[in-house]
Amino acid sequence: MIRLNRRHALGLLGATTGSLLLPGYLRAQGARRSITVAVQKITNNNTLDIWNEQSNVGERVFFPNLWEGLILRNWMGDQGPVPGLATSWSRIDDKTIELKLREGVKFHNGDEMTAEDVAFSFSPERVFGDTQPVGGSTIFAENYTPATAKDLPASVPGIGRRLWPALQGVEIVDKYTVRFHNATPDVTLEGRLYAFGSQIANRRAWDEAASYAEWAAKPVTTGPYMVAEFKPDVSLTLVAFDDYWGGQPPLEKITFVEVPEVSSRVNGLLSGEYDFACDLPPDQIGAVTGTPGFEVQSSTIWNHRISVFNTQNEVLADPRVRRAMTHAIDRQAIVEALWAGQTVVPAGLQFDSFRSSDMFIEGWAAPEYNPELARDLLKQANYKGDAVPYRLLNNYYTNQTPTAQIMVEMWRQVGMNVEIEMKENWAQIHDPAGIKGVRDWSASNLINDPITPLVVQFGPNGEAQQKKDWTNAEMNQLSVVMETSTDHPTRKKAIARMLEIAEREDPAYQVLHQNAVFTGMRSDLHWKAAPAFAMDFRASNWAAG
């Protein structure tokens, strides 16, 4: 086993006793406070569209401050469903759900939200293009070429069918009542309504925008804050929307600034330049908590860090090589070394919350750390030492780079030659040109059912298959079972088999650890971090005087 030492904590550069600058919110006495939040990344594709920006960083800036759905996620609690833009919902049958809309909800442009906006938000024009409500086959971005500036990006229809594989459409019953009609039975319709993507947009703002890019830089929504200015790769400024249906927001302005380097985020926090610093690694906690007036909020979240294999690579086409790679990794050593034991190695791509619906596969575990087995599998595969590329971003995920370096060394110790290739952005990670091999990712529990993440991320319209990293015919058949069956034993049997395929027989990925978030902040703000990437700045979570 490799011996790993934790990195030394960062010194308190730029912070001297009694000389801290006043944070932004104190510079305007007598007004509502404004805050500045330092993040590693604001969005990955320079839009504020919840269908186009399906990412962890997007969750942080979108929810619950900007975008809202008919059903909301209980961000500060169990992450379950709570009433939102709909006050109630009920099943008509296995394919249909009816929702009563909240009356008097205003969009940022002053329009009242009605059933027309809901139907538009799930329309072919907004999401699905000409895709059909059937699952089981992959929709590739290259199948769609935007013809005008107003057309959807090529990837969005496939993402739409990833999250709503069989939605036929939304029926307007009356001004404040809608029915969602599915082509097949689906036990997860309620969950899909509060998942990332199912939020409501204003129809008129879409129609009036000159282009999709213009609309996506300043979408008109119903949240407590609205977009004032978006500078891609620099900053996003949200301002209070005082006609918010949930009451006046407590902050005048929230500015998210992009600060890629951890040390800069920490130093900016301690000097008073920022009020919050996100995505801190555990070895920076002492630098923050050791300074009077600062604290770190932390928790594990419904997100697991994983690595994904590309089976178009000639070496990785052999599942024995991928299996060897999964058995070469000492996950617990990584958790102890880089996370100070403040997270856990999960039971494969599962979440404890699945137990609430009896969908957790007991006795399942991530592949055991077994270097001898890894060496034997490489020998069986007649592996000759050919290099496998590892496309890597510089700490997009917390501790991403040191984790990659540790894994490369662990693979080397069993005879596997993996070479890191540093990339600047996700477009370069997914670039079909050149040879792919291994890449990093994370997997989230979006709707408290194992359909997420196994089907949503690795099924036929999951990103892994849409990006041509991996595919498996039986996995796709079982995905349809998970999406359409209403029989609990059948669904549980299907998910158990999917774990066997994707983590043992034909590995699509390897699970590393459950993700955790560490957010540095001023102690006098009395704000609490959600067990999620999202940052809640609604009145219910802002107690500072």
Side-chain angles (χ1 to χ4, degrees):
M1 176 176 172
I2 299 175
R3 292 186 175 274
L4 303 171
N5 295 319
R6 293 180 59 199
R7 292 174 292 167
H8 296 297
L10 177 71
L12 304 182
L13 302 177
T16 57
T17 303
S19 63
L20 294 179
L21 296 176
L22 288 175
Y25 73 78
L26 288 180
R27 297 176 193 141
Q29 295 294 331
R32 271 184 291 182
R33 295 173 172 179
S34 295
I35 60 169
T36 301
V37 183
V39 299
Q40 189 272 342
K41 188 70 176 170
I42 296 173
T43 67
N44 289 322
N45 59 22
N46 294 335
T47 76
L48 302 178
D49 180 4
I50 34 92
W51 289 103
N52 197 16
E53 180 65 38
Q54 291 269 309
S55 68
N56 299 335
V57 295
E59 177 181 304
R60 175 169 286 132
V61 300
F62 290 164
F63 309 124
N65 306 303
L66 177 60
W67 283 97
E68 295 184 311
L70 300 177
I71 302 176
L72 299 183
R73 182 183 295 278
N74 181 8
W75 289 108
M76 299 306 299
D78 63 3
Q79 307 298 293
V82 293
L85 300 182
T87 57
S88 63
W89 53 92
S90 60
R91 282 282 184 150
I92 304 299
D93 53 42
D94 289 340
K95 301 179 183 179
T96 312
I97 185 170
E98 182 176 281
L99 299 99
K100 297 294 184 180
L101 304 185
R102 189 179 299 276
E103 298 185 22
V105 172
K106 293 295 183 66
F107 282 106
H108 297 158
N109 61 1
D111 291 354
E112 183 185 12
M113 183 202 69
T114 69
E116 295 280 353
D117 299 291
V118 175
F120 160 72
S121 296
F122 295 88
S123 66
E125 178 185 7
R126 170 70 180 100
V127 182
F128 297 111
D130 63 359
T131 61
Q132 300 304 306
V134 292
S137 60
T138 306
I139 297 171
F140 297 104
E142 55 260 38
N143 296 341
Y144 297 88
T145 302
T148 72
K150 197 64 178 287
D151 290 344
L152 292 168
S155 63
V156 169
I159 294 171
R161 289 305 177 194
R162 179 189 306 167
L163 300 180
W164 288 92
L167 183 65
Q168 286 184 309
V170 177
E171 174 192 358
I172 298 174
V173 178
D174 58 41
K175 186 176 181 180
Y176 300 113
T177 308
V178 294
R179 288 181 180 173
F180 282 67
H181 292 278
N182 226 43
T184 63
D186 188 345
V187 300
T188 68
L189 289 178
E190 293 85 351
R192 294 184 188 280
L193 278 165
Y194 70 85
F196 191 155
S198 296
Q199 287 69 44
I200 306 303
N202 177 256
R203 174 65 199 245
R204 180 168 68 90
W206 174 279
D207 290 342
E208 292 177 350
S211 66
Y212 170 84
E214 177 185 295
W215 174 86
K218 197 172 184 178
V220 174
T221 67
T222 62
Y225 299 90
M226 56 186 177
V227 178
E229 184 179 50
F230 179 39
K231 298 179 180 178
D233 301 320
V234 179
S235 65
L236 167 64
T237 300
L238 306 179
V239 295
F241 175 53
D242 287 340
D243 285 334
Y244 178 54
W245 63 268
Q248 187 181 72
L251 300 174
E252 183 68 27
K253 180 170 65 175
I254 305 167
T255 302
F256 295 94
V257 294
E258 197 161 298
V259 185
E261 295 299 323
V262 172
S263 60
S264 297
R265 295 199 294 277
V266 172
N267 291 334
L269 172 69
L270 299 181
S271 69
E273 184 177 2
Y274 314 130
D275 302 297
F276 296 85
C278 299
D279 295 321
L280 303 184
D283 66 3
Q284 298 301 306
I285 293 176
V288 176
T289 59
T291 304
F294 294 92
E295 65 182 73
V296 173
Q297 296 264 336
S298 65
S299 70
T300 53
I301 62 175
W302 281 10
N303 180 270
H304 294 337
R305 278 279 288 108
I306 62 176
S307 296
V308 178
F309 303 114
N310 183 281
T311 56
Q312 291 184 321
N313 183 293
E314 291 182 0
V315 175
L316 298 183
D318 191 325
R320 292 171 295 189
V321 174
R322 284 174 274 139
R323 288 177 59 202
M325 295 177 75
T326 69
H327 288 296
I329 300 303
D330 188 341
R331 295 161 182 78
Q332 192 59 42
I334 292 173
V335 166
E336 294 298 330
L338 297 183
W339 293 87
Q342 297 195 55
T343 187
V344 296
V345 178
L349 207 52
Q350 301 191 92
F351 293 85
D352 287 341
S353 57
F354 294 164
R355 289 191 170 94
S356 65
S357 58
D358 189 30
M359 287 296 287
F360 190 92
I361 307 303
E362 301 291 349
W364 190 257
E368 66 170 333
Y369 173 54
N370 189 332
E372 288 304 317
L373 175 58
R375 294 186 187 97
D376 183 57
L377 287 166
L378 290 175
K379 184 177 180 180
Q380 292 178 36
N382 197 30
Y383 173 65
K384 300 297 186 182
D386 293 336
V388 172
Y390 184 164
R391 295 184 179 182
L392 181 67
L393 296 174
N394 184 24
N395 290 326
Y396 172 84
Y397 298 108
T398 301
N399 280 331
Q400 183 178 7
T401 300
T403 299
Q405 293 168 336
I406 289 168
M407 290 197 298
V408 166
E409 176 59 21
M410 289 176 172
W411 285 323
R412 187 194 66 79
Q413 290 193 3
V414 300
M416 188 80 197
N417 180 15
V418 179
E419 296 181 349
I420 289 176
E421 296 179 355
M422 297 304 300
K423 303 297 180 181
E424 295 181 358
N425 52 53
W426 282 103
Q428 293 179 3
I429 294 290
H430 293 302
D431 189 350
I435 300 173
K436 296 183 181 181
V438 183
R439 68 174 174 92
D440 290 328
W441 205 16
S442 69
S444 295
N445 172 15
L446 298 176
I447 62 176
N448 203 19
D449 183 276
I451 204 167
T452 59
L454 267 175
V455 176
V456 167
Q457 293 188 237
F458 293 95
N461 276 311
E463 184 181 280
Q465 296 204 47
Q466 288 179 340
K467 298 294 187 184
K468 300 181 180 179
D469 284 322
W470 175 90
T471 189
N472 182 284
E474 186 181 359
M475 187 81 164
N476 291 349
Q477 294 169 357
L478 292 168
S479 294
V480 174
V481 172
M482 287 296 296
E483 290 172 343
T484 62
S485 176
T486 60
D487 182 70
H488 181 272
T490 298
R491 295 185 81 245
K492 190 169 184 180
K493 181 179 178 181
I495 209 68
R497 177 61 185 146
M498 293 174 81
L499 286 169
E500 290 177 348
I501 294 168
E503 296 187 10
R504 297 287 195 275
E505 295 178 10
D506 185 20
Y509 58 84
Q510 63 171 4
V511 172
L512 298 177
H513 56 78
Q514 187 168 358
N515 223 334
V517 292
F518 299 89
T519 303
M521 59 175 284
R522 294 184 60 90
S523 299
D524 59 355
L525 297 182
H526 306 296
W527 174 89
K528 297 298 182 184
F533 288 106
M535 299 185 76
D536 188 349
F537 291 114
R538 294 173 296 183
S540 58
N541 195 44
W542 187 265

